[in-house]
Amino acid sequence: TCAASYASCDNPSNYRRTVHFENNILTSGTTDPVVYGTACTFENNVIFPQEPGIGVTNLHVDPQFVDSANRDSRLQATSPAIDAAVPSTTFTPAADFAGVARPQGAGHDIGAYELAP
């Protein structure tokens, strides 16, 4: 999970770089868009707030954290990120940030935390 004020994907000097975001939750906690620029690739993320247009496989909805204001980014039971991660070609952790085994349901959850039963 990337919980930053924004993700800068500018490439003003035309450096050869690749930044790939996959199965992450990117949110700012404000009404400002999270992603700026076009030099990154986004696949199967929850990006909020953000206008659609950053990849066709991303969700642009509230991730429904337990308590965003207090930086508790565990998922509520109604979160659209639950069971929504796709198998990664580069990294699929066996446990979440808190050590909970993945998956806990029909599939892995998007983000740093797996919703535990």
Side-chain angles (χ1 to χ4, degrees), residues 15-62:
Y15 291 116
R16 297 185 74 189
R17 66 177 180 180
T18 302
V19 180
H20 184 101
F21 293 87
E22 181 179 73
N23 293 325
N24 290 284
I25 298 174
L26 294 98
T27 183
S28 66
T30 70
T31 58
D32 296 328
V34 178
V35 177
Y36 295 92
T38 59
C40 301
T41 302
F42 294 88
E43 294 183 290
N44 208 61
N45 300 283
V46 176
I47 306 172
F48 183 77
Q50 189 74 39
E51 291 295 319
I54 297 192
V56 296
T57 62
N58 298 296
L59 299 172
H60 303 286
V61 296
D62 183 346

Side-chain angles (χ1 to χ4, degrees), residues 63-98:
Q64 298 181 23
F65 289 144
V66 168
D67 188 355
S68 294
N70 291 305
R71 299 181 186 256
D72 184 346
S73 56
R74 291 174 298 135
L75 301 173
Q76 294 182 37
T78 55
S79 172
I82 295 173
D83 297 337
V86 297
S88 176
T89 57
T90 57
F91 182 68
T92 302
D96 73 0
F97 191 72

